[in-house]
Amino acid sequence: MISLITLIPSVLALCGFVHAAPATPGLALDDVDDFTIVPVYWELPVKPDDPNGATVTVEGTIQQAIAKMDTDYPGWNQTFQAGLGDVSYVSASLAALVALEDPTYDCKIKTDMANILAIKWGIHYLRAIPGKAKNGPGPKNCGRVSCSWDSAIYWCNEDSSGDKELYWGQIADLAQGILDNCAGLTKVKGQGTYKDDKWSVVVRFPKSSEGNC
């Protein structure tokens, strides 16, 4: 299970052109569909402009969570979107990332490509949620944290020894790294892996068993 606490807004970064990248020690190329999908849970405030107020738990991608909140609390999405530009920090994870080694990137995973704009919006939303995510023991234990326009971001725990907790900003940062290292003009696919810390992010067309988005 992946879980999260609170919500604040952030900013969005630009993408690059295609770059060569070393192979990742995470999911093998032939096994990019061979991972366990776990549900993602978001603990979101009933009032987006009052993150310290009452919260409810919603399951799904960040886009599905937003849609559910707007159905249950009309006007929720409008308030959430209005707050996205209010914050000045780039990522909730910068301090946490200082101690980590540089990630490796694999831009040749065997899957269809994702839309760059959709991935950028997914990163934007993930950076707006600075609480911690939790994922059960790996390897290949993955949750689809963002999916729109048939373009998905997965976060995977590759550590068989126990649960993994990360800031959502760290997941957003590694997804941004995939954009920076693997993106073409309009499409992107790839995996970023922290080998020593044993976790990875995959950007790709949605896994077939989960359907389109």
Side-chain angles (χ1 to χ4, degrees):
M1 181 183 77
I2 301 177
S3 62
L4 123 147
I5 315 289
T6 26
L7 162 88
I8 1 182
S10 180
V11 294
L12 187 59
L14 298 172
C15 68
F17 294 92
V18 175
H19 298 275
T24 172
L27 307 179
L29 290 179
D30 292 335
D31 297 332
V32 74
D33 275 321
D34 182 24
F35 52 79
T36 302
I37 297 297
V38 295
V40 180
Y41 296 96
W42 311 85
E43 190 175 337
L44 299 175
V46 172
K47 297 180 178 180
D49 53 358
D50 182 16
N52 295 318
T55 62
V56 293
T57 302
V58 186
E59 179 180 346
T61 65
I62 183 59
Q63 292 85 1
Q64 291 169 333
I66 291 171
K68 172 66 173 172
M69 293 298 290
D70 201 50
T71 297
D72 293 348
Y73 305 96
W76 194 95
N77 186 40
Q78 183 177 356
T79 304
F80 172 79
Q81 297 288 344
L84 281 174
D86 288 347
V87 124
S88 59
Y89 70 86
V90 173
S91 169
S93 67
L94 293 179
L97 284 175
V98 170
L100 294 177
E101 84 280 11
D102 290 335
T104 58
Y105 295 99
D106 185 348
C107 305
K108 297 181 180 180
I109 59 175
K110 293 181 179 179
T111 179
D112 289 335
M113 301 186 83
N115 179 283
I116 287 176
L117 182 60
I119 297 301
K120 289 168 97 173
W121 272 107
I123 292 169
H124 189 36
Y125 286 148
L126 290 175
R127 283 193 177 143
I129 319 265
K132 282 193 173 181
K134 185 176 181 180
N135 199 338
K140 302 180 183 181
N141 201 58
C142 305
R144 188 167 78 171
V145 297
S146 174
C147 195
S148 62
W149 301 346
D150 287 335
S151 303
I153 300 172
Y154 294 85
W155 170 46
C156 303
N157 184 6
E158 307 289 357
D159 191 350
S160 60
S161 65
D163 294 348
K164 183 76 64 182
E165 284 194 6
L166 298 170
Y167 291 105
W168 289 100
Q170 289 176 267
I171 298 169
D173 285 348
L174 195 50
Q176 181 64 50
I178 295 170
L179 282 184
D180 293 342
N181 285 273
C182 300
L185 289 174
T186 62
K187 299 288 186 179
V188 62
K189 66 178 180 179
Q191 181 184 15
T193 300
Y194 281 106
K195 180 180 179 181
D196 292 344
D197 206 37
K198 298 180 180 179
W199 63 277
S200 66
V201 168
V202 177
V203 168
R204 54 165 291 170
F205 190 86
K207 185 173 164 64
S208 57
S209 62
E210 292 189 292
N212 296 350
C213 60

